[in-house]
């Protein structure tokens, strides 16, 4: 098979972790006799510094012309602490999501037996936790207008907007996953306060009737935040709006023991994007210490979702599991043992695959 991918390393540790993930993809393609074609493109602060735009038209064209996008991370402290910056790296990510029509962000939350001890939660609570967060990605308060400041600068506002169509497509997608899994869907909202949430619930309650095999439950976001920590095993598929999903998925990552372990897939109407859920970790830039596993696991998701290559995805996960068992890991999960470099972990995994 011919696989054509766009590679967007981005900022901070992005280039280092993406380099390892790309090597993994190459190794898998070699092993399974696929042809991998890839093109690199600029995104984020790096793109602002080079061409003045965090998601340049050329990058978009390359993404549109590819079967999948492998994405690193964006964000830079230079912009974070400068509220008056005219253009921010994050706008690049949001523009990419909007322009590629990536309306669903899928974040599987699973545990790794060899890492359970790293979770701040009790082992019996997290051992075997396995759920999937589906976050709506192109609507809500991230994109709603108006957004801005009053003329005197004393008032600021953001607007949360959802249409029935946007809600329906994400809820249907979530039911699709629930049907393939343990057939339980938790719809997370704040319908006791927000108008948009009441529309979510109304739409979900209508669709619920079409999926009688799935048990549907409704939960307020504050309660969901608590239950994720209290009893994560109760969840199978969770679906929610953009900002609730942003917050809950970071929270859910602690179940795994490290933010450095969780991959994600963003899918929609054009090319899908695969990226780690963590950020650009600027303090570690160039030090060869960042954990490449979330990005390598994103490559597994890419094989699975973009190319329907299940054995290839499995091979990547098996290699990652093996590296954990052998303790060939970066400092964030080394737990006092030897800490390997980003590149050493990547190399071990490609060697394992060959
Ligand atoms: C994420 C990130 C982004 C978001 C930021 C970098 C804009 O936190 O992908 O979760 O808020 O969506
Ligand atoms: Mg986030």
């Amino acid at each position: 098979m011919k696989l054509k991918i766009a590679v967007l390393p981005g900022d901070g540790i992005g280039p280092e972790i993406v380099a390892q993930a790309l090597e993994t993809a190459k190794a898998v393609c070699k092993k399974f006799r696929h042809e991998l074609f890839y093109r690199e493109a600029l995104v984020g602060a790096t793109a602002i510094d080079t061409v003045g735009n965090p998601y340049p038209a050329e990058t978009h064209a390359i993404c549109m012309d590819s079967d999948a996008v492998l994405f690193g991370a964006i964000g830079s402290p230079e912009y974070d602490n400068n509220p008056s910056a005219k253009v921010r790296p994050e706008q690049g990510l949001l523009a990419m999501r909007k322009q590629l029509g990536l309306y669903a962000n899928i974040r599987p939350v699973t545990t790794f037996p060899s890492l359970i001890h790293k979770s701040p939660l009790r082992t019996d609570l997290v051992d075997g936790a396995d759920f999937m967060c589906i976050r709506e990605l192109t609507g809500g308060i991230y994109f709603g207008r108006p957004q801005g400041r009053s003329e005197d600068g004393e008032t600021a506002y953001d607007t949360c907007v959802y249409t029935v169509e946007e809600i329906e497509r994400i809820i249907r997608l979530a039911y699709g996953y629930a049907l393939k899994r343990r057939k339980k869907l938790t719809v997370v909202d704040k319908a006791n306060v927000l108008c948009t949430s009441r529309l979510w619930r109304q739409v979900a309650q209508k669709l619920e009737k079409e999926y009688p095999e799935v048990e549907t439950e409704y939960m307020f976001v504050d309660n969901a935040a608590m239950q994720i920590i209290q009893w994560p095993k109760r969840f199978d598929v969770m679906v929610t709006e953009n900002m609730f999903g942003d917050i809950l998925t970071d929270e859910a990552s602690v179940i795994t023991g490290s933010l450095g372990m969780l991959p994600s897939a963003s899918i929609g109407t054009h090319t899908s994007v695969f990226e780690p859920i963590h950020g650009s970790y600027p303090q570690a830039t160039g030090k060869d210490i960042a954990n490449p596993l979330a990005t390598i696991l994103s490559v597994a998701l890419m094989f699975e979702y973009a190319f329907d290559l299940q054995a290839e995805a499995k091979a990547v996960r098996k290699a990652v599991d093996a590296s954990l068992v052998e303790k060939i890991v970066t400092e964030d999960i080394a737990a006092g043992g030897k800490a390997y470099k980003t590149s050493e972990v990547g190399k071990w995994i490609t060697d394992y695959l060959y």
Side-chain angles (χ1 to χ4, degrees), residues 4-236:
K4 197 167 157 189
I5 69 171
V7 178
L8 276 53
D11 306 325
I13 56 165
E16 297 160 57
I17 52 174
V18 164
Q20 300 312 318
L22 189 57
E23 288 307 314
T24 308
K26 285 184 195 164
V28 172
C29 286
K30 195 163 171 200
K31 186 180 162 114
F32 289 85
R33 299 182 194 287
H34 300 300
E35 272 183 281
L36 181 71
F37 300 93
Y38 65 92
R39 275 203 286 173
E40 275 197 28
L42 292 170
V43 73
T46 324
I48 301 178
D49 299 342
T50 329
V51 294
N53 178 349
Y55 185 59
E58 197 199 332
T59 299
H60 182 59
I62 291 175
C63 291
M64 290 295 280
D65 187 43
S66 304
D67 304 318
V69 178
L70 180 62
F71 191 96
I74 59 153
S76 152
E78 236 179 280
Y79 296 90
D80 286 348
N81 303 321
N82 178 5
S84 57
K86 287 220 163 47
V87 50
R88 308 180 44 86
E90 287 79 3
Q91 286 169 333
L93 185 59
L94 299 185
M96 179 182 78
R97 288 173 181 170
K98 201 68 176 178
Q99 290 179 38
L100 289 177
L102 302 169
Y103 64 83
N105 182 230
I106 299 170
R107 297 183 169 184
V109 180
T110 46
T111 52
F112 299 84
S114 46
L115 280 187
I116 290 261
H117 62 279
K118 281 287 292 176
S119 175
L121 300 179
R122 247 173 35 221
T123 300
D124 61 308
L125 292 182
V126 295
D127 189 16
D130 173 10
F131 65 98
M132 182 177 251
C133 290
I134 300 186
R135 164 185 174 193
E136 201 290 328
L137 205 57
T138 49
I141 201 163
Y142 273 58
F143 292 95
R145 294 293 180 266
Q147 178 186 66
R149 287 249 196 144
S150 63
E151 227 147 86
D152 65 3
E154 296 290 310
T155 309
Y157 42 89
D158 296 283
T159 309
C160 188
V161 182
Y162 269 108
T163 64
V164 168
E165 200 189 335
E166 287 171 320
I167 301 167
E168 239 191 84
R169 87 181 157 183
I170 191 84
I171 303 250
R172 280 196 192 282
L173 186 104
Y175 272 116
Y177 284 103
L179 281 170
K180 285 191 244 158
R181 295 174 47 103
R182 300 192 303 276
K183 301 191 173 52
K184 183 171 174 196
L185 180 67
T186 307
V187 181
V188 175
D189 62 32
K190 187 75 187 174
N192 49 348
V193 178
L194 302 175
C195 232
T196 40
S197 282
R198 284 194 283 273
L199 186 61
W200 269 73
R201 204 170 272 216
Q202 185 187 317
V203 171
Q205 281 170 342
K206 188 189 88 191
L207 293 181
E208 184 185 341
K209 302 193 183 76
E210 292 180 36
Y211 300 90
E213 317 89 304
V214 178
E215 179 201 339
T216 307
E217 68 171 352
Y218 298 89
M219 196 179 274
F220 295 140
V221 62
D222 45 355
N223 185 18
M226 179 184 78
Q227 305 250 5
I228 283 175
I229 295 301
Q230 208 170 42
W231 190 236
K233 284 185 253 192
R234 74 186 301 295
F235 295 109
D236 178 20

